[in-house]
Amino acid sequence: MTRSELVQEVLYMAEDITQNFKPVDGSCLYMSAMLVAMMNDHLSVETRFVTGSLSVAESKIFAHQPIKPILSQKEGVIGKWDGHAWVEVDDLIIDLSLFRTVFSKVASPRIQSLFEARFERGTAYLVGQKHKLIEMGVEYTPLELLSDDDATIFIQNAGRMGLINS
């Protein structure tokens, strides 16, 4: 599969997930889990489902809090977690929920203006090469790798919570 074909497939999957996922800010774990599962089922590439931090113009937008210790507690996960998740393939960053959160009512005007200086407000999701994002002042720092089993937990919870449109 060529790089161009990979990007086309990722865009198709990203579009499918974003159209069928309720517009909820803070849904990065669920949307990333769905994407990594879809990619693993349909593409022969090595995906990474990660959590970490995100900085824009050297301002921390999302800090990192490990999710694994919370997952092992077997109780309400997301209300206790403050972090960010995305999918990586080679040097590609795929972030399906970023703009939902950044341009929601919960985000500060300062954060919104940092993103408006770099992206169009109507953008649905981010698919970009890591080095090009860094050149734009957008830096993803992966700090925790999640497993396929972790992704399954988030997908099942998204279904139970009614986040996926039927």
Side-chain angles (χ1 to χ4, degrees), residues 16-54:
D16 185 47
I17 292 168
T18 55
Q19 286 183 359
N20 290 298
F21 203 90
K22 292 196 175 166
V24 178
D25 57 296
S27 55
C28 59
L29 285 164
Y30 305 111
M31 295 180 84
S32 295
M34 291 176 67
L35 178 62
V36 81
M38 203 178 227
M39 291 175 75
N40 287 342
D41 286 350
H42 299 287
L43 303 174
S44 57
V45 295
E46 185 179 326
T47 59
R48 291 178 306 283
F49 177 22
V50 296
T51 66
S53 63
L54 172 61

Short mmCIF file of all heavy atoms in Angstrom, two decimals, residues 16-54:
data_model
loop_
_atom_site.label_atom_id
_atom_site.label_comp_id
_atom_site.label_asym_id
_atom_site.label_seq_id
_atom_site.Cartn_x
_atom_site.Cartn_y
_atom_site.Cartn_z
N ASP A 16 -16.08 8.33 8.20
CA ASP A 16 -17.12 7.41 8.65
C ASP A 16 -17.33 7.51 10.16
O ASP A 16 -18.46 7.62 10.64
CB ASP A 16 -16.74 5.97 8.26
CG ASP A 16 -17.82 4.97 8.59
OD1 ASP A 16 -19.02 5.23 8.28
OD2 ASP A 16 -17.50 3.91 9.18
N ILE A 17 -16.26 7.51 10.91
CA ILE A 17 -16.36 7.57 12.37
C ILE A 17 -16.93 8.92 12.82
O ILE A 17 -17.84 8.97 13.64
CB ILE A 17 -15.00 7.29 13.03
CG1 ILE A 17 -14.61 5.83 12.81
CG2 ILE A 17 -15.05 7.61 14.53
CD1 ILE A 17 -13.17 5.50 13.16
N THR A 18 -16.40 10.02 12.28
CA THR A 18 -16.88 11.33 12.73
C THR A 18 -18.34 11.57 12.37
O THR A 18 -19.07 12.22 13.12
CB THR A 18 -16.01 12.49 12.20
OG1 THR A 18 -15.93 12.42 10.78
CG2 THR A 18 -14.61 12.43 12.79
N GLN A 19 -18.80 11.02 11.25
CA GLN A 19 -20.21 11.18 10.88
C GLN A 19 -21.13 10.33 11.73
O GLN A 19 -22.30 10.66 11.88
CB GLN A 19 -20.41 10.83 9.40
CG GLN A 19 -19.89 11.89 8.48
CD GLN A 19 -20.16 11.57 7.02
OE1 GLN A 19 -20.73 10.55 6.67
NE2 GLN A 19 -19.73 12.46 6.15
N ASN A 20 -20.62 9.23 12.26
CA ASN A 20 -21.46 8.31 13.02
C ASN A 20 -21.24 8.37 14.52
O ASN A 20 -21.75 7.53 15.26
CB ASN A 20 -21.25 6.87 12.52
CG ASN A 20 -21.82 6.70 11.14
OD1 ASN A 20 -23.01 6.86 10.92
ND2 ASN A 20 -20.95 6.44 10.18
N PHE A 21 -20.53 9.37 14.97
CA PHE A 21 -20.25 9.52 16.39
C PHE A 21 -20.90 10.81 16.87
O PHE A 21 -20.75 11.85 16.24
CB PHE A 21 -18.73 9.59 16.62
CG PHE A 21 -18.31 9.22 18.00
CD1 PHE A 21 -18.01 7.91 18.32
CD2 PHE A 21 -18.23 10.17 19.00
CE1 PHE A 21 -17.62 7.55 19.60
CE2 PHE A 21 -17.85 9.84 20.27
CZ PHE A 21 -17.54 8.53 20.58
N LYS A 22 -21.65 10.73 17.95
CA LYS A 22 -22.33 11.93 18.45
C LYS A 22 -21.32 13.02 18.75
O LYS A 22 -20.23 12.74 19.23
CB LYS A 22 -23.15 11.58 19.68
CG LYS A 22 -24.30 10.67 19.31
CD LYS A 22 -25.33 10.60 20.38
CE LYS A 22 -26.47 9.75 19.81
NZ LYS A 22 -27.40 9.31 20.80
N PRO A 23 -21.67 14.27 18.47
CA PRO A 23 -20.73 15.38 18.67
C PRO A 23 -20.54 15.72 20.15
O PRO A 23 -21.18 16.60 20.69
CB PRO A 23 -21.36 16.54 17.90
CG PRO A 23 -22.81 16.21 17.87
CD PRO A 23 -22.92 14.71 17.89
N VAL A 24 -19.66 14.97 20.79
CA VAL A 24 -19.39 15.13 22.21
C VAL A 24 -17.94 15.55 22.36
O VAL A 24 -17.05 14.89 21.83
CB VAL A 24 -19.62 13.79 22.95
CG1 VAL A 24 -19.30 13.92 24.43
CG2 VAL A 24 -21.03 13.29 22.74
N ASP A 25 -17.71 16.65 23.08
CA ASP A 25 -16.31 17.03 23.32
C ASP A 25 -15.72 16.06 24.35
O ASP A 25 -16.43 15.45 25.13
CB ASP A 25 -16.20 18.49 23.78
CG ASP A 25 -16.99 18.78 25.02
OD1 ASP A 25 -18.23 18.68 24.96
OD2 ASP A 25 -16.39 19.10 26.06
N GLY A 26 -14.41 15.92 24.31
CA GLY A 26 -13.74 15.01 25.24
C GLY A 26 -13.91 13.54 24.88
O GLY A 26 -13.88 12.68 25.76
N SER A 27 -14.10 13.23 23.61
CA SER A 27 -14.36 11.84 23.19
C SER A 27 -13.15 11.17 22.55
O SER A 27 -13.29 10.20 21.83
CB SER A 27 -15.54 11.83 22.23
OG SER A 27 -15.31 12.69 21.14
N CYS A 28 -11.96 11.68 22.83
CA CYS A 28 -10.75 11.19 22.15
C CYS A 28 -10.49 9.71 22.36
O CYS A 28 -10.09 9.01 21.42
CB CYS A 28 -9.54 12.01 22.55
SG CYS A 28 -9.16 12.00 24.31
N LEU A 29 -10.69 9.20 23.57
CA LEU A 29 -10.42 7.78 23.81
C LEU A 29 -11.34 6.90 22.98
O LEU A 29 -10.90 5.91 22.40
CB LEU A 29 -10.58 7.45 25.30
CG LEU A 29 -9.45 7.94 26.20
CD1 LEU A 29 -9.88 7.91 27.66
CD2 LEU A 29 -8.20 7.11 25.99
N TYR A 30 -12.60 7.26 22.91
CA TYR A 30 -13.59 6.45 22.21
C TYR A 30 -13.38 6.48 20.69
O TYR A 30 -13.39 5.45 20.02
CB TYR A 30 -15.00 6.92 22.54
CG TYR A 30 -15.27 6.96 24.02
CD1 TYR A 30 -15.42 8.16 24.69
CD2 TYR A 30 -15.36 5.78 24.75
CE1 TYR A 30 -15.67 8.19 26.05
CE2 TYR A 30 -15.60 5.81 26.11
CZ TYR A 30 -15.76 7.02 26.76
OH TYR A 30 -15.99 7.04 28.11
N MET A 31 -13.20 7.68 20.16
CA MET A 31 -13.03 7.82 18.71
C MET A 31 -11.70 7.21 18.25
O MET A 31 -11.65 6.56 17.21
CB MET A 31 -13.15 9.28 18.30
CG MET A 31 -14.55 9.84 18.55
SD MET A 31 -14.70 11.56 18.07
CE MET A 31 -15.04 11.36 16.32
N SER A 32 -10.66 7.40 19.02
CA SER A 32 -9.36 6.81 18.67
C SER A 32 -9.42 5.29 18.74
O SER A 32 -8.84 4.60 17.89
CB SER A 32 -8.27 7.34 19.60
OG SER A 32 -8.09 8.73 19.41
N ALA A 33 -10.12 4.77 19.73
CA ALA A 33 -10.28 3.31 19.85
C ALA A 33 -11.01 2.75 18.63
O ALA A 33 -10.61 1.72 18.08
CB ALA A 33 -11.05 2.96 21.13
N MET A 34 -12.04 3.44 18.20
CA MET A 34 -12.78 2.98 17.01
C MET A 34 -11.89 3.01 15.77
O MET A 34 -11.90 2.07 14.97
CB MET A 34 -14.03 3.83 16.81
CG MET A 34 -15.07 3.59 17.88
SD MET A 34 -16.51 4.67 17.72
CE MET A 34 -17.19 4.05 16.21
N LEU A 35 -11.12 4.07 15.63
CA LEU A 35 -10.25 4.18 14.46
C LEU A 35 -9.17 3.10 14.46
O LEU A 35 -8.93 2.46 13.45
CB LEU A 35 -9.61 5.57 14.38
CG LEU A 35 -8.64 5.77 13.21
CD1 LEU A 35 -9.37 5.61 11.87
CD2 LEU A 35 -7.96 7.12 13.31
N VAL A 36 -8.51 2.89 15.59
CA VAL A 36 -7.43 1.90 15.63
C VAL A 36 -7.99 0.51 15.36
O VAL A 36 -7.37 -0.30 14.65
CB VAL A 36 -6.61 1.99 16.94
CG1 VAL A 36 -7.28 1.28 18.10
CG2 VAL A 36 -5.22 1.47 16.73
N ALA A 37 -9.18 0.20 15.87
CA ALA A 37 -9.79 -1.11 15.61
C ALA A 37 -10.13 -1.26 14.12
O ALA A 37 -9.86 -2.30 13.52
CB ALA A 37 -11.04 -1.29 16.46
N MET A 38 -10.68 -0.22 13.54
CA MET A 38 -11.03 -0.25 12.12
C MET A 38 -9.79 -0.42 11.25
O MET A 38 -9.77 -1.22 10.32
CB MET A 38 -11.77 1.05 11.77
CG MET A 38 -12.64 1.02 10.58
SD MET A 38 -13.41 2.68 10.43
CE MET A 38 -15.06 2.18 10.15
N MET A 39 -8.75 0.32 11.59
CA MET A 39 -7.51 0.23 10.82
C MET A 39 -6.88 -1.16 10.96
O MET A 39 -6.41 -1.73 9.98
CB MET A 39 -6.52 1.31 11.27
CG MET A 39 -6.97 2.71 10.87
SD MET A 39 -5.88 4.00 11.52
CE MET A 39 -4.49 3.79 10.40
N ASN A 40 -6.88 -1.70 12.19
CA ASN A 40 -6.31 -3.02 12.40
C ASN A 40 -7.10 -4.10 11.67
O ASN A 40 -6.53 -5.09 11.21
CB ASN A 40 -6.24 -3.35 13.89
CG ASN A 40 -5.15 -2.58 14.60
OD1 ASN A 40 -4.23 -2.06 13.99
ND2 ASN A 40 -5.27 -2.47 15.92
N ASP A 41 -8.41 -3.91 11.54
CA ASP A 41 -9.25 -4.89 10.84
C ASP A 41 -9.09 -4.83 9.32
O ASP A 41 -9.26 -5.84 8.65
CB ASP A 41 -10.73 -4.67 11.18
CG ASP A 41 -11.10 -5.13 12.58
OD1 ASP A 41 -10.26 -5.80 13.23
OD2 ASP A 41 -12.22 -4.81 13.03
N HIS A 42 -8.80 -3.64 8.78
CA HIS A 42 -8.86 -3.46 7.33
C HIS A 42 -7.55 -3.10 6.63
O HIS A 42 -7.49 -3.13 5.41
CB HIS A 42 -9.91 -2.40 6.98
CG HIS A 42 -11.28 -2.76 7.44
ND1 HIS A 42 -12.04 -3.72 6.82
CD2 HIS A 42 -12.02 -2.31 8.48
CE1 HIS A 42 -13.20 -3.85 7.45
NE2 HIS A 42 -13.20 -3.01 8.46
N LEU A 43 -6.53 -2.74 7.39
CA LEU A 43 -5.27 -2.33 6.78
C LEU A 43 -4.11 -3.13 7.34
O LEU A 43 -4.13 -3.50 8.51
CB LEU A 43 -5.02 -0.83 7.03
CG LEU A 43 -6.09 0.15 6.55
CD1 LEU A 43 -5.75 1.55 7.00
CD2 LEU A 43 -6.24 0.08 5.05
N SER A 44 -3.11 -3.34 6.54
CA SER A 44 -1.93 -4.06 7.02
C SER A 44 -0.83 -3.06 7.36
O SER A 44 0.20 -2.97 6.70
CB SER A 44 -1.45 -5.07 5.98
OG SER A 44 -1.19 -4.41 4.76
N VAL A 45 -1.10 -2.25 8.40
CA VAL A 45 -0.14 -1.27 8.90
C VAL A 45 -0.06 -1.42 10.41
O VAL A 45 -0.98 -1.93 11.04
CB VAL A 45 -0.55 0.19 8.55
CG1 VAL A 45 -0.53 0.41 7.05
CG2 VAL A 45 -1.91 0.55 9.12
N GLU A 46 1.04 -0.97 10.96
CA GLU A 46 1.20 -1.01 12.42
C GLU A 46 0.65 0.29 13.00
O GLU A 46 1.17 1.37 12.75
CB GLU A 46 2.67 -1.18 12.79
CG GLU A 46 2.85 -1.35 14.28
CD GLU A 46 4.30 -1.54 14.66
OE1 GLU A 46 5.05 -2.15 13.88
OE2 GLU A 46 4.68 -1.07 15.75
N THR A 47 -0.43 0.16 13.75
CA THR A 47 -1.06 1.33 14.38
C THR A 47 -0.62 1.42 15.83
O THR A 47 -0.27 0.43 16.46
CB THR A 47 -2.59 1.21 14.33
OG1 THR A 47 -2.98 0.03 15.02
CG2 THR A 47 -3.10 1.19 12.91
N ARG A 48 -0.67 2.65 16.34
CA ARG A 48 -0.41 2.88 17.76
C ARG A 48 -1.54 3.73 18.31
O ARG A 48 -1.80 4.83 17.82
CB ARG A 48 0.95 3.58 17.94
CG ARG A 48 2.12 2.68 17.60
CD ARG A 48 3.47 3.38 17.72
NE ARG A 48 3.62 4.62 16.97
CZ ARG A 48 3.83 4.69 15.65
NH1 ARG A 48 3.88 3.60 14.92
NH2 ARG A 48 3.98 5.86 15.06
N PHE A 49 -2.20 3.22 19.32
CA PHE A 49 -3.26 3.92 20.04
C PHE A 49 -2.58 4.47 21.29
O PHE A 49 -2.16 3.72 22.15
CB PHE A 49 -4.37 2.91 20.37
CG PHE A 49 -5.52 3.42 21.18
CD1 PHE A 49 -5.87 4.75 21.26
CD2 PHE A 49 -6.32 2.50 21.87
CE1 PHE A 49 -6.96 5.19 22.00
CE2 PHE A 49 -7.41 2.91 22.61
CZ PHE A 49 -7.73 4.25 22.68
N VAL A 50 -2.41 5.79 21.34
CA VAL A 50 -1.60 6.39 22.39
C VAL A 50 -2.35 7.48 23.15
O VAL A 50 -3.30 8.08 22.63
CB VAL A 50 -0.29 6.98 21.83
CG1 VAL A 50 0.59 5.90 21.24
CG2 VAL A 50 -0.55 8.05 20.78
N THR A 51 -1.87 7.72 24.35
CA THR A 51 -2.27 8.90 25.10
C THR A 51 -1.01 9.70 25.35
O THR A 51 0.10 9.16 25.33
CB THR A 51 -2.95 8.56 26.45
OG1 THR A 51 -2.01 7.93 27.31
CG2 THR A 51 -4.16 7.69 26.26
N GLY A 52 -1.18 10.97 25.56
CA GLY A 52 -0.02 11.82 25.80
C GLY A 52 -0.44 13.27 25.96
O GLY A 52 -1.58 13.56 26.32
N SER A 53 0.47 14.15 25.64
CA SER A 53 0.18 15.58 25.77
C SER A 53 0.17 16.24 24.39
O SER A 53 0.73 15.71 23.43
CB SER A 53 1.22 16.25 26.67
OG SER A 53 2.50 16.18 26.10
N LEU A 54 -0.45 17.38 24.33
CA LEU A 54 -0.52 18.16 23.09
C LEU A 54 -0.25 19.62 23.44
O LEU A 54 -0.88 20.19 24.34
CB LEU A 54 -1.90 18.03 22.45
CG LEU A 54 -2.17 18.94 21.24
CD1 LEU A 54 -1.21 18.66 20.09
CD2 LEU A 54 -3.61 18.79 20.77
#
